[in-house]
Amino acid sequence: MTSNRSLVLPTAQPSGLGPPAWLIRLLVALIVVPLSGLVALFAVAMTGWGFETDPGDQLRRDLPMLIASAIAGVGCGAALGFALAGPRRAPILLLMVLGVVPAILKGTAYFTHSY
């Protein structure tokens, strides 16, 4: 007589020899966070160099640098949030929002004259 049992392969068990996931995330963040943070700060520092006096003209002139700063700031915040909290959404989104703040402050400073 034959039996109708299905063949089930054993699942692979982690060997425990590799580094833990949090350590890998932290090491990647130690590279990504400073580099993207420097890009964001450099982009903000490059704004404001011009002779325009109208706030709208200043914003149009510096818009590429403000966008670059916002993108780099979001990447910096996301990498830091993922390194510290893992794949949880709330800390990542919070730090992404904080990463955009320098670009927003610089963009609104043209209209409030509070450099």
Side-chain angles (χ1 to χ4, degrees):
M1 234 185 201
T2 62
S3 67
N4 291 333
R5 285 188 249 165
S6 62
L7 177 63
V8 178
L9 296 174
T11 57
Q13 299 294 326
S15 64
L17 297 177
W22 66 269
L23 183 62
I24 293 172
R25 287 195 319 262
L26 189 61
L27 290 176
V28 169
L30 287 176
I31 296 169
V32 173
V33 169
L35 290 177
S36 58
L38 284 174
V39 168
L41 291 177
F42 178 76
V44 166
M46 292 306 294
T47 60
W49 296 91
F51 299 105
E52 294 87 354
T53 56
D54 181 55
D57 291 339
Q58 290 175 340
L59 184 62
R60 279 189 291 280
R61 176 197 65 217
D62 294 335
L63 194 58
M65 286 297 170
L66 292 173
I67 290 173
S69 172
I71 291 171
V74 164
C76 180
L80 185 61
F82 187 71
L84 297 177
R88 289 181 289 205
R89 266 190 209 170
I92 293 174
L93 291 176
L94 177 68
L95 288 172
M96 287 171 71
V97 169
L98 287 177
V100 180
V101 169
I104 292 173
L105 289 178
K106 184 65 176 192
T108 58
Y110 298 137
F111 298 96
T112 60
H113 303 291
S114 58
Y115 293 105

